[in-house]
Each structure stands twice: as structure tokens, then as C-alpha cells.
Amino acid sequence: MHNLPVSMLPMMSTMISGQLEEAKDQYENLLKAQSKPYVLNDEIVERVIKVFSKQLDFICLYENQISKWHNEETLTANIESALPKSQVQLQELSKVITNILALAAKLKNGTIEKVMGKSDLELGMEFFKK
């Protein structure tokens, strides 16, 4: 992403807000699956990891762009007040995505493929560890 005109801020803010809402929803879904990771398959977990790893990469680009806009001297009051809100949302998005990736990494070990690949003895021993 090269230096964008500050007129792009509303669009970027909308994108950040949308990604934040999607990330929160995805995190809630993964939390629900935590007690029964076998409802997930390898493909779903890998896709979550891939998508949110890419989004994490974009956060740095967004932050750099917002930082460049902060340094511009010709900002309107509306734009100047919108920048901190976008920065806060980016920080929150970064935290949620980091949580998603950590949880997905844990869930990866309990997908249906992993459970089906275990022997009855392994499954029984895991059951009694709980």
C-alpha cells in the first residue's frame, strides 16, 4: 500500500470496523468449538489461520498509513478526530486476531481428522485425563 490520500480514511475506517466485527464473530465461534474441537476439520482450521494471518499483515500497513496521515498538516477536524478511533480499532483488531490464531493453533490438535486418527486407547486415556 503506497501513500493514499487522506480522503480514503472513511473507506479504510469502514474496512477496519468490518474486519473487527468479523474477527470478533469468528473468535466467538472458535470459543464455542473449544470444548468440542472435533466439530472442526483440518481444512476449516487451516483456512482460519491463513485468512487471519493475512489480516494481521495488513494491520501494519493500515497503521503506517494512518501514521502518515497524522503527520499531514492540512487535516480537517473531522479527519483529525477519526484517526485516533481507527488506531484504537486497529489495536483491538490486532488483539482479537492474535487470540484467534492462538486458539486456532490449539484447536488444530483436536479436529475430526486428528480424533479419527487416534486409537481407542489414546481416546480413552484422554477422556480420563479430564
Side-chain angles (χ1 to χ4, degrees), residues 83-125:
L83 287 172
K85 180 183 177 202
S86 291
Q87 285 178 310
V88 167
Q89 285 188 324
L90 278 175
Q91 289 170 352
E92 189 177 353
L93 180 59
S94 179
K95 191 168 23 170
V96 173
I97 290 175
T98 302
N99 290 340
I100 286 171
L101 293 173
L103 186 51
K106 274 202 276 188
L107 293 172
K108 200 165 136 175
N109 298 321
T111 61
I112 187 69
E113 288 90 348
K114 302 293 186 301
V115 171
M116 297 304 286
K118 291 182 180 180
S119 70
D120 289 343
L121 177 62
E122 288 173 305
L123 289 172
M125 289 178 74

Short mmCIF file of all heavy atoms in Angstrom, two decimals, residues 83-125:
data_model
loop_
_atom_site.label_atom_id
_atom_site.label_comp_id
_atom_site.label_asym_id
_atom_site.label_seq_id
_atom_site.Cartn_x
_atom_site.Cartn_y
_atom_site.Cartn_z
N LEU A 83 -8.95 9.70 13.05
CA LEU A 83 -7.70 8.93 13.08
C LEU A 83 -7.50 8.14 14.38
O LEU A 83 -7.22 6.94 14.33
CB LEU A 83 -6.50 9.84 12.80
CG LEU A 83 -6.36 10.32 11.35
CD1 LEU A 83 -5.26 11.37 11.25
CD2 LEU A 83 -6.09 9.17 10.41
N PRO A 84 -7.67 8.77 15.56
CA PRO A 84 -7.48 8.00 16.80
C PRO A 84 -8.46 6.84 16.93
O PRO A 84 -8.10 5.76 17.41
CB PRO A 84 -7.70 9.03 17.91
CG PRO A 84 -7.44 10.35 17.26
CD PRO A 84 -7.87 10.19 15.84
N LYS A 85 -9.70 7.04 16.47
CA LYS A 85 -10.70 5.96 16.53
C LYS A 85 -10.23 4.77 15.70
O LYS A 85 -10.31 3.62 16.13
CB LYS A 85 -12.05 6.46 16.03
CG LYS A 85 -13.12 5.39 16.07
CD LYS A 85 -14.43 5.87 15.49
CE LYS A 85 -15.43 4.73 15.51
NZ LYS A 85 -16.50 4.89 14.57
N SER A 86 -9.71 5.04 14.52
CA SER A 86 -9.21 3.97 13.66
C SER A 86 -8.01 3.28 14.30
O SER A 86 -7.86 2.06 14.21
CB SER A 86 -8.84 4.50 12.27
OG SER A 86 -9.99 4.89 11.57
N GLN A 87 -7.16 4.05 14.95
CA GLN A 87 -5.99 3.46 15.61
C GLN A 87 -6.42 2.52 16.74
O GLN A 87 -5.86 1.44 16.89
CB GLN A 87 -5.07 4.55 16.14
CG GLN A 87 -4.26 5.22 15.05
CD GLN A 87 -3.39 6.34 15.58
OE1 GLN A 87 -3.86 7.22 16.30
NE2 GLN A 87 -2.13 6.32 15.21
N VAL A 88 -7.40 2.94 17.52
CA VAL A 88 -7.90 2.11 18.63
C VAL A 88 -8.51 0.82 18.06
O VAL A 88 -8.27 -0.28 18.58
CB VAL A 88 -8.92 2.88 19.48
CG1 VAL A 88 -9.68 1.96 20.43
CG2 VAL A 88 -8.22 3.99 20.25
N GLN A 89 -9.28 0.95 16.98
CA GLN A 89 -9.89 -0.23 16.38
C GLN A 89 -8.82 -1.18 15.82
O GLN A 89 -8.96 -2.40 15.92
CB GLN A 89 -10.87 0.16 15.27
CG GLN A 89 -12.16 0.70 15.81
CD GLN A 89 -13.20 0.92 14.72
OE1 GLN A 89 -12.87 1.31 13.61
NE2 GLN A 89 -14.45 0.64 15.05
N LEU A 90 -7.76 -0.62 15.27
CA LEU A 90 -6.66 -1.46 14.77
C LEU A 90 -5.99 -2.22 15.90
O LEU A 90 -5.65 -3.40 15.76
CB LEU A 90 -5.62 -0.61 14.03
CG LEU A 90 -5.94 -0.27 12.59
CD1 LEU A 90 -4.89 0.68 12.03
CD2 LEU A 90 -6.03 -1.52 11.73
N GLN A 91 -5.80 -1.55 17.03
CA GLN A 91 -5.19 -2.24 18.19
C GLN A 91 -6.09 -3.37 18.67
O GLN A 91 -5.62 -4.47 18.97
CB GLN A 91 -4.95 -1.24 19.32
CG GLN A 91 -3.82 -0.27 19.04
CD GLN A 91 -3.75 0.86 20.06
OE1 GLN A 91 -4.63 1.02 20.90
NE2 GLN A 91 -2.70 1.66 19.97
N GLU A 92 -7.39 -3.10 18.72
CA GLU A 92 -8.33 -4.13 19.14
C GLU A 92 -8.35 -5.29 18.13
O GLU A 92 -8.35 -6.45 18.51
CB GLU A 92 -9.74 -3.53 19.30
CG GLU A 92 -10.71 -4.49 19.94
CD GLU A 92 -12.09 -3.88 20.17
OE1 GLU A 92 -12.27 -2.67 19.96
OE2 GLU A 92 -12.98 -4.64 20.55
N LEU A 93 -8.35 -4.94 16.85
CA LEU A 93 -8.35 -5.95 15.80
C LEU A 93 -7.10 -6.82 15.91
O LEU A 93 -7.17 -8.04 15.81
CB LEU A 93 -8.42 -5.28 14.42
CG LEU A 93 -8.41 -6.21 13.20
CD1 LEU A 93 -9.59 -7.17 13.24
CD2 LEU A 93 -8.44 -5.39 11.91
N SER A 94 -5.97 -6.20 16.15
CA SER A 94 -4.73 -6.94 16.29
C SER A 94 -4.81 -7.93 17.45
O SER A 94 -4.39 -9.09 17.34
CB SER A 94 -3.57 -5.97 16.52
OG SER A 94 -2.36 -6.65 16.68
N LYS A 95 -5.39 -7.50 18.56
CA LYS A 95 -5.52 -8.36 19.74
C LYS A 95 -6.47 -9.53 19.45
O LYS A 95 -6.17 -10.68 19.78
CB LYS A 95 -6.02 -7.54 20.93
CG LYS A 95 -5.93 -8.28 22.24
CD LYS A 95 -6.15 -7.46 23.50
CE LYS A 95 -6.91 -6.20 23.38
NZ LYS A 95 -7.26 -5.60 24.68
N VAL A 96 -7.60 -9.24 18.82
CA VAL A 96 -8.58 -10.29 18.52
C VAL A 96 -7.98 -11.31 17.55
O VAL A 96 -8.12 -12.52 17.75
CB VAL A 96 -9.90 -9.70 17.96
CG1 VAL A 96 -10.84 -10.80 17.49
CG2 VAL A 96 -10.59 -8.83 19.00
N ILE A 97 -7.29 -10.83 16.52
CA ILE A 97 -6.68 -11.74 15.55
C ILE A 97 -5.60 -12.60 16.22
O ILE A 97 -5.50 -13.80 15.96
CB ILE A 97 -6.12 -10.97 14.34
CG1 ILE A 97 -7.29 -10.42 13.51
CG2 ILE A 97 -5.24 -11.87 13.48
CD1 ILE A 97 -6.86 -9.55 12.34
N THR A 98 -4.81 -12.00 17.08
CA THR A 98 -3.79 -12.77 17.80
C THR A 98 -4.44 -13.87 18.63
O THR A 98 -3.96 -15.01 18.67
CB THR A 98 -2.94 -11.83 18.68
OG1 THR A 98 -2.34 -10.83 17.84
CG2 THR A 98 -1.86 -12.58 19.41
N ASN A 99 -5.57 -13.54 19.28
CA ASN A 99 -6.31 -14.54 20.06
C ASN A 99 -6.88 -15.64 19.16
O ASN A 99 -6.86 -16.82 19.52
CB ASN A 99 -7.44 -13.88 20.86
CG ASN A 99 -6.93 -13.02 21.99
OD1 ASN A 99 -5.80 -13.16 22.45
ND2 ASN A 99 -7.75 -12.10 22.45
N ILE A 100 -7.39 -15.25 18.00
CA ILE A 100 -7.93 -16.23 17.04
C ILE A 100 -6.83 -17.20 16.62
O ILE A 100 -7.03 -18.41 16.61
CB ILE A 100 -8.51 -15.52 15.79
CG1 ILE A 100 -9.84 -14.85 16.14
CG2 ILE A 100 -8.70 -16.51 14.63
CD1 ILE A 100 -10.39 -13.95 15.04
N LEU A 101 -5.67 -16.66 16.27
CA LEU A 101 -4.58 -17.52 15.79
C LEU A 101 -4.09 -18.46 16.89
O LEU A 101 -3.80 -19.63 16.63
CB LEU A 101 -3.44 -16.66 15.24
CG LEU A 101 -3.78 -15.89 13.96
CD1 LEU A 101 -2.64 -14.94 13.59
CD2 LEU A 101 -4.10 -16.83 12.82
N ALA A 102 -4.03 -17.98 18.12
CA ALA A 102 -3.60 -18.83 19.24
C ALA A 102 -4.62 -19.94 19.49
O ALA A 102 -4.25 -21.11 19.68
CB ALA A 102 -3.40 -17.99 20.50
N LEU A 103 -5.89 -19.58 19.46
CA LEU A 103 -6.94 -20.57 19.69
C LEU A 103 -7.01 -21.57 18.54
O LEU A 103 -7.15 -22.78 18.77
CB LEU A 103 -8.29 -19.86 19.89
CG LEU A 103 -9.49 -20.72 20.27
CD1 LEU A 103 -9.18 -21.61 21.48
CD2 LEU A 103 -10.68 -19.83 20.57
N ALA A 104 -6.88 -21.10 17.32
CA ALA A 104 -6.91 -21.99 16.15
C ALA A 104 -5.74 -22.98 16.21
O ALA A 104 -5.90 -24.16 15.88
CB ALA A 104 -6.86 -21.19 14.85
N ALA A 105 -4.59 -22.52 16.67
CA ALA A 105 -3.43 -23.41 16.80
C ALA A 105 -3.72 -24.52 17.81
O ALA A 105 -3.33 -25.68 17.60
CB ALA A 105 -2.19 -22.61 17.20
N LYS A 106 -4.43 -24.17 18.89
CA LYS A 106 -4.80 -25.19 19.88
C LYS A 106 -5.84 -26.15 19.32
O LYS A 106 -5.74 -27.36 19.50
CB LYS A 106 -5.37 -24.53 21.15
CG LYS A 106 -4.33 -24.13 22.15
CD LYS A 106 -4.91 -24.00 23.55
CE LYS A 106 -5.54 -22.65 23.76
NZ LYS A 106 -5.96 -22.40 25.14
N LEU A 107 -6.84 -25.59 18.64
CA LEU A 107 -7.94 -26.41 18.11
C LEU A 107 -7.46 -27.36 17.02
O LEU A 107 -8.07 -28.41 16.79
CB LEU A 107 -9.05 -25.51 17.56
CG LEU A 107 -9.80 -24.68 18.61
CD1 LEU A 107 -10.74 -23.70 17.91
CD2 LEU A 107 -10.57 -25.57 19.56
N LYS A 108 -6.38 -26.99 16.38
CA LYS A 108 -5.81 -27.79 15.29
C LYS A 108 -5.51 -29.22 15.74
O LYS A 108 -5.61 -30.16 14.95
CB LYS A 108 -4.51 -27.10 14.84
CG LYS A 108 -4.02 -27.44 13.49
CD LYS A 108 -3.00 -26.38 13.15
CE LYS A 108 -1.78 -26.96 12.54
NZ LYS A 108 -0.85 -25.93 12.10
N ASN A 109 -5.19 -29.39 17.02
CA ASN A 109 -4.84 -30.72 17.54
C ASN A 109 -6.06 -31.58 17.84
O ASN A 109 -5.89 -32.76 18.17
CB ASN A 109 -3.99 -30.57 18.81
CG ASN A 109 -2.70 -29.86 18.52
OD1 ASN A 109 -2.08 -30.07 17.48
ND2 ASN A 109 -2.30 -28.97 19.41
N GLY A 110 -7.25 -31.01 17.77
CA GLY A 110 -8.44 -31.79 18.13
C GLY A 110 -9.47 -31.90 17.03
O GLY A 110 -10.61 -32.24 17.30
N THR A 111 -9.08 -31.60 15.79
CA THR A 111 -10.05 -31.66 14.68
C THR A 111 -10.52 -33.10 14.48
O THR A 111 -9.92 -34.06 14.99
CB THR A 111 -9.42 -31.16 13.37
OG1 THR A 111 -8.31 -32.00 13.04
CG2 THR A 111 -9.01 -29.71 13.47
N ILE A 112 -11.57 -33.26 13.73
CA ILE A 112 -12.16 -34.58 13.48
C ILE A 112 -11.11 -35.53 12.89
O ILE A 112 -11.05 -36.70 13.27
CB ILE A 112 -13.43 -34.48 12.59
CG1 ILE A 112 -14.13 -35.84 12.48
CG2 ILE A 112 -13.11 -33.94 11.22
CD1 ILE A 112 -14.78 -36.31 13.75
N GLU A 113 -10.25 -35.03 12.01
CA GLU A 113 -9.23 -35.89 11.41
C GLU A 113 -8.26 -36.40 12.47
O GLU A 113 -7.84 -37.56 12.45
CB GLU A 113 -8.44 -35.16 10.32
CG GLU A 113 -9.20 -34.92 9.04
CD GLU A 113 -9.97 -33.60 9.03
OE1 GLU A 113 -10.10 -32.96 10.08
OE2 GLU A 113 -10.44 -33.21 7.96
N LYS A 114 -7.89 -35.51 13.42
CA LYS A 114 -6.96 -35.90 14.49
C LYS A 114 -7.62 -36.93 15.42
O LYS A 114 -7.00 -37.90 15.83
CB LYS A 114 -6.51 -34.69 15.30
CG LYS A 114 -5.82 -33.59 14.49
CD LYS A 114 -4.50 -34.01 13.93
CE LYS A 114 -3.74 -32.91 13.24
NZ LYS A 114 -4.36 -32.24 12.14
N VAL A 115 -8.90 -36.70 15.75
CA VAL A 115 -9.61 -37.61 16.65
C VAL A 115 -9.79 -38.97 15.98
O VAL A 115 -9.56 -40.01 16.59
CB VAL A 115 -10.98 -37.02 17.07
CG1 VAL A 115 -11.83 -38.04 17.81
CG2 VAL A 115 -10.78 -35.78 17.92
N MET A 116 -10.15 -38.97 14.70
CA MET A 116 -10.38 -40.23 13.98
C MET A 116 -9.09 -41.02 13.81
O MET A 116 -9.11 -42.24 13.67
CB MET A 116 -11.04 -39.98 12.62
CG MET A 116 -12.43 -39.36 12.72
SD MET A 116 -13.59 -40.31 13.72
CE MET A 116 -13.92 -41.67 12.64
N GLY A 117 -7.97 -40.33 13.84
CA GLY A 117 -6.68 -41.00 13.67
C GLY A 117 -6.14 -41.61 14.96
O GLY A 117 -5.13 -42.31 14.94
N LYS A 118 -6.81 -41.38 16.08
CA LYS A 118 -6.33 -41.89 17.36
C LYS A 118 -6.92 -43.28 17.63
O LYS A 118 -8.03 -43.60 17.22
CB LYS A 118 -6.73 -40.95 18.50
CG LYS A 118 -6.00 -39.63 18.44
CD LYS A 118 -6.38 -38.74 19.58
CE LYS A 118 -5.62 -37.42 19.47
NZ LYS A 118 -5.96 -36.51 20.54
N SER A 119 -6.18 -44.05 18.36
CA SER A 119 -6.66 -45.37 18.74
C SER A 119 -7.68 -45.22 19.88
O SER A 119 -7.74 -44.19 20.55
CB SER A 119 -5.50 -46.24 19.20
OG SER A 119 -5.01 -45.76 20.45
N ASP A 120 -8.44 -46.27 20.12
CA ASP A 120 -9.40 -46.26 21.22
C ASP A 120 -8.69 -46.05 22.56
O ASP A 120 -9.19 -45.36 23.44
CB ASP A 120 -10.20 -47.57 21.26
CG ASP A 120 -11.17 -47.68 20.09
OD1 ASP A 120 -11.46 -46.64 19.47
OD2 ASP A 120 -11.63 -48.80 19.81
N LEU A 121 -7.51 -46.64 22.70
CA LEU A 121 -6.73 -46.49 23.93
C LEU A 121 -6.35 -45.03 24.15
O LEU A 121 -6.52 -44.50 25.25
CB LEU A 121 -5.48 -47.37 23.88
CG LEU A 121 -4.54 -47.25 25.09
CD1 LEU A 121 -5.27 -47.69 26.36
CD2 LEU A 121 -3.29 -48.08 24.88
N GLU A 122 -5.86 -44.37 23.11
CA GLU A 122 -5.49 -42.95 23.23
C GLU A 122 -6.71 -42.11 23.61
O GLU A 122 -6.62 -41.24 24.49
CB GLU A 122 -4.91 -42.42 21.91
CG GLU A 122 -3.54 -42.93 21.57
CD GLU A 122 -3.11 -42.50 20.17
OE1 GLU A 122 -3.85 -42.78 19.20
OE2 GLU A 122 -2.04 -41.89 20.07
N LEU A 123 -7.83 -42.35 22.95
CA LEU A 123 -9.04 -41.58 23.24
C LEU A 123 -9.50 -41.83 24.69
O LEU A 123 -9.90 -40.91 25.39
CB LEU A 123 -10.16 -41.94 22.26
CG LEU A 123 -9.97 -41.45 20.83
CD1 LEU A 123 -11.04 -42.04 19.92
CD2 LEU A 123 -9.97 -39.94 20.77
N GLY A 124 -9.44 -43.08 25.13
CA GLY A 124 -9.84 -43.42 26.49
C GLY A 124 -8.95 -42.75 27.52
O GLY A 124 -9.43 -42.20 28.52
N MET A 125 -7.64 -42.74 27.27
CA MET A 125 -6.71 -42.12 28.21
C MET A 125 -6.95 -40.61 28.27
O MET A 125 -6.91 -40.02 29.35
CB MET A 125 -5.27 -42.44 27.81
CG MET A 125 -4.93 -43.89 28.07
SD MET A 125 -3.26 -44.32 27.57
CE MET A 125 -2.34 -43.54 28.87
#
